[in-house]
Amino acid sequence: MQEGIAAELQAASRLFGQLAEDAEFLGEVEAVARRWLASLDAGGQILLAGNGGSAADAQHIAAEIVCRYRVVRPGAAAVALTTDTSVLTAIANDFGYEHVFARQVEALGRPGDVLVGFTTSGESPNVLRALETAGRRGLTTVALTGARGLPAGPAVDHLLAVPDPATARVQEVHGLIGHLLCAVVEDALVARAQGDAAP
């Protein structure tokens, strides 16, 4: 059993190390962080969506943005589109499950906001529809996927495709990406708040 545990840890470690040396990946994470900051600075919000474990990722990262990640700082606006069961079930009942996120983007999203869609397969119909709707409405679109990217999905502004076929590895890296973004954005928000407080 311990050999299997060690093998899982080693596989995750290799993937994390690979990404730490990937300049294109690092640059894309930085670009997404800058988009998040630009949106928040302009009074916008970060919308997040996903299914199953990816729904948990969306909620987790929204909580880090709204509350805090590592330090106390001004709150920032983020909404996980996975949490309001009345809204989700109404849309699923009236329009179909593939519309549960797109309808919320239509209602809540504004130009300059950011939509982050988590889909390990790259093929989740409700996430793809949300990204398409967001793009039409002038939101910045960010997709976090597995190695295949978005094989049949809409064009997005930023694609973070984890180069591994295992769903577990992809989800682990998605969590890491969320934390990387929260760290960079929070550091900038803290610096700005301290600058505003300076005499």
Side-chain angles (χ1 to χ4, degrees):
M1 186 178 293
Q2 289 187 16
E3 289 180 0
I5 294 169
E8 289 289 306
L9 289 170
Q10 289 162 2
S13 178
R14 283 193 298 272
L15 180 57
F16 281 22
Q18 175 186 339
L19 293 173
E21 300 297 325
D22 186 335
E24 184 176 349
F25 171 80
L26 298 175
E28 194 67 4
V29 173
E30 179 184 7
V32 172
R34 292 185 184 281
R35 289 288 192 120
W36 281 24
L37 276 169
S39 178
L40 295 172
D41 283 344
Q45 62 185 339
I46 313 301
L47 305 176
L48 306 101
N51 298 284
S54 296
D57 287 335
Q59 291 164 216
H60 174 183
I61 300 308
E64 306 281 30
I65 299 166
V66 171
C67 181
R68 67 172 183 167
Y69 177 54
R70 292 182 298 202
V71 299
V72 176
R73 42 79 179 165
V79 178
L81 304 180
T82 55
T83 58
D84 190 327
T85 54
S86 293
V87 168
L88 291 168
T89 55
I91 297 169
N93 185 65
D94 292 355
F95 296 99
Y97 189 69
E98 66 272 22
H99 297 279
V100 293
F101 301 135
R103 185 69 169 176
Q104 292 184 76
V105 170
E106 181 182 323
L108 303 174
R110 299 291 181 267
D113 290 348
V114 178
L115 173 68
V116 181
F118 295 84
T119 169
T120 57
S121 68
E123 298 179 345
S124 303
N126 54 9
V127 174
L128 298 182
R129 281 182 181 271
L131 289 166
E132 183 179 9
T133 299
R136 288 199 313 266
R137 294 182 65 83
L139 282 73
T140 294
T141 52
V142 181
L144 276 68
T145 74
R148 296 179 65 222
L150 296 173
V156 294
D157 296 306
H158 299 282
L159 175 63
L160 289 164
V162 179
D164 198 281
T167 297
R169 297 289 87 81
V170 173
Q171 289 176 329
E172 288 158 5
V173 175
H174 285 179
L176 173 65
I177 291 169
H179 279 171
L180 292 171
L181 291 168
C182 287
V184 172
V185 169
E186 185 166 86
D187 287 347
L189 292 174
V190 168
R192 292 170 190 187
Q194 291 173 342
D196 289 344

